[in-house]
Amino acid sequence: MKIKNIISVLEEMAPLAYAEDFDNVGLLVGDSETECSGVLVCHDALENVIEEAIAKNCSLVVCFHPILFSGIKKITGKNYVERAILKAIKNDIAIFAVHTALDNHSQGVNKIFCDALGLTNTKILVPKNNFIQKLVTYTVPDNADKLRNALFEAGAGKIGNYDNCSFNTKGFFTFQGNEDSNPVIGEKGKLHTGEEIKIEVVFEKHLQSRILKALFSNHIYEEVAYEIYNLENSHQNIGLGMIGEFENEMDEKEFLHFVKDKMIADGIRHSAFLSKKIKKVAVLGGSGSFAIKNAIQAGADAFLTADLKYHQFYEAENKLLLADIGHFESERYTKNYIVDYLRKKILNFAIILSEENTNPVKYL
């Protein structure tokens, strides 16, 4: 099996188009055409993880955090990033990162976080903007079903928990072809009028080329009339963070001890207790201070995230309990999810969970 075949499965799990613009996801090191001997899944592709991949005969390392994040001008082995990259290249090991592509997925990092805590009725905390487009096209009634179904098959027409969604309007068309035209309906040089269906569907913008291919392949017109619009609507099923509820509320200390146990956290920093019960909880794996206001607006009793600075604890504004459980801890079960996903999709192949603990933060 080639590395590119495994990448196809990884992109089904976490489409790279879901990643944030600042991020560096996908194949970072290696050749996708290379045969893969095995996959090692880790949190961070550090030098000791590459050594583990060598020992376990894995030629692809799938990591959550990208080892290459910002620009790099030299690879001389003078820091931990360069040493990991050098060792990977010398040993023909490819590195693939998922990071915010999985952060933004409705079944990704924050759903994993919620599931670990037993939260239900979950929904995205910070929906992704500027990600939805709308196609408007026109065809004759006899072609409408075939065209509409082809667009659905290509990924159009999905809204929340519904698919095959479209809006259709009856009208009439006029055209007159010139001498170079070859109309399917009517005759060139003559004005033609007939019944037409206007079809409107939404789609995720990274699917545009696939949608247009389906449009042109299944439309009967010589010249296909269509329009594409960028929508300002937020995507309710793609975005950062998540909010959910406990079946039974608990007091604040009980809640933090519960979180500490479930997420195996060595320490939790938190804002002042408010003497209120905790039932509705927002989470955001990794650095999530930017979403404090979102958690408050969503009516959360508590917000769990990581990497909070001193002054950011004030932003709780006595409206919720704000807790920093640790960056690694908030994403702890992500690599387990990736392993389980790959094992279900790729049978009889070595998919190995890294045994290395790459958390750089230690506690007394």
Side-chain angles (χ1 to χ4, degrees):
M1 181 181 295
K2 291 187 176 182
I3 286 174
K4 68 179 182 181
N5 301 123
I6 297 166
I7 288 176
S8 294
V9 177
L10 289 167
E11 291 186 356
E12 289 175 5
M13 178 192 73
L16 299 185
Y18 287 11
E20 295 296 306
D21 292 338
F22 65 79
D23 205 5
N24 189 32
V25 294
L27 188 63
L28 307 182
V29 175
D31 183 353
S32 63
E33 293 292 337
T34 304
E35 289 292 328
C36 186
S37 58
V39 180
L40 182 71
V41 179
C42 66
H43 203 81
D44 304 276
L46 304 180
E47 187 177 11
N48 60 333
V49 174
I50 303 302
E51 290 172 350
E52 182 184 12
I54 296 167
K56 294 177 178 177
N57 192 33
C58 293
S59 58
L60 174 62
V61 170
V62 176
C63 53
F64 178 64
H65 289 140
I67 186 68
L68 283 171
F69 191 76
S70 54
I72 185 168
K73 294 184 178 181
K74 297 179 181 179
I75 305 179
T76 60
K78 290 186 177 180
N79 59 49
Y80 77 97
V81 173
E82 293 178 14
R83 288 192 294 273
I85 299 304
L86 274 176
K87 183 152 288 189
I89 292 172
K90 285 180 179 179
N91 291 277
D92 293 324
I93 292 174
I95 302 175
F96 186 97
V98 295
H99 206 208
T100 57
L102 192 57
D103 274 310
N104 275 310
H105 198 286
S106 61
Q107 299 300 313
V109 175
N110 295 294
K111 183 62 164 63
I112 298 164
F113 197 165
C114 286
D115 288 347
L117 297 175
L119 295 171
T120 60
N121 301 322
T122 56
K123 62 180 181 179
I124 299 295
L125 180 64
V126 188
K128 197 169 183 65
N129 294 319
N130 303 314
F131 204 72
I132 304 174
Q133 294 182 324
K134 181 168 76 169
L135 169 72
V136 179
T137 190
Y138 312 82
T139 190
V140 292
D142 288 345
N143 180 231
D145 286 343
K146 177 186 177 183
L147 179 58
R148 194 184 301 112
N149 290 333
L151 294 173
F152 293 155
E153 186 69 24
K158 294 182 179 180
I159 303 176
N161 295 321
Y162 298 86
D163 54 25
N164 294 0
C165 302
S166 68
F167 188 77
N168 303 268
T169 312
K170 288 185 178 181
F172 70 92
F173 66 86
T174 64
F175 72 81
Q176 182 173 324
N178 61 26
E179 287 303 312
D180 295 324
S181 66
N182 186 27
V184 176
I185 300 169
E187 299 178 34
K188 60 184 177 182
K190 293 184 178 180
L191 180 65
H192 187 76
T193 303
E195 185 179 354
E196 199 166 48
I197 303 291
K198 178 182 180 183
I199 301 173
E200 302 178 57
V201 290
V202 296
F203 59 92
E204 295 174 5
K205 68 178 183 180
H206 67 284
L207 299 176
Q208 185 183 119
S209 61
R210 190 191 305 178
I211 300 298
L212 290 179
K213 182 178 179 180
L215 173 66
F216 297 139
S217 299
N218 292 275
H219 208 297
I220 66 169
Y221 288 177
E222 180 188 16
E223 298 288 348
V224 179
Y226 70 96
E227 304 151 31
I228 291 179
Y229 300 96
N230 291 317
L231 303 184
E232 294 185 1
N233 306 51
S234 297
H235 197 306
Q236 59 183 302
N237 279 348
I238 301 174
L240 295 169
M242 194 159 277
I243 187 165
E245 297 179 338
F246 287 120
E247 182 178 353
N248 299 307
E249 62 185 19
M250 55 183 90
D251 64 38
E252 293 158 311
K253 283 188 177 180
E254 178 189 7
F255 166 70
L256 290 181
H257 281 294
F258 173 81
V259 172
K260 186 176 180 180
D261 176 61
K262 290 295 183 181
M263 304 307 292
I264 318 177
D266 289 322
I268 295 179
R269 300 186 300 141
H270 62 87
S271 60
F273 287 141
L274 303 174
S275 299
K276 65 184 291 187
K277 297 294 184 180
I278 305 297
K279 184 175 177 64
K280 195 171 185 179
V281 179
V283 306
L284 200 154
S287 304
S289 60
F290 64 89
I292 294 173
K293 290 182 180 179
N294 299 83
I296 293 173
Q297 290 170 358
D301 301 312
F303 179 37
L304 304 175
T305 188
D307 301 341
L308 296 176
K309 297 179 181 179
Y310 176 89
H311 290 94
Q312 289 169 338
F313 283 95
Y314 289 127
E315 294 179 28
E317 295 283 4
N318 294 320
K319 294 178 180 177
L320 49 57
L321 177 64
L322 185 57
D324 183 334
I325 74 167
H327 194 122
F328 178 89
E329 289 79 3
S330 68
E331 301 166 340
R332 174 179 295 281
Y333 302 112
T334 302
K335 65 180 182 178
N336 304 72
Y337 173 85
I338 297 170
V339 166
D340 290 343
Y341 187 94
L342 290 176
R343 285 176 178 171
K344 289 176 183 176
K345 295 289 185 176
I346 306 173
L347 305 178
N348 302 316
F349 194 79
I351 311 291
I352 300 172
L353 179 67
S354 174
E355 297 177 14
E356 295 292 328
N357 182 350
T358 57
N359 186 2
V361 181
K362 309 300 177 185
Y363 298 87
L364 285 174

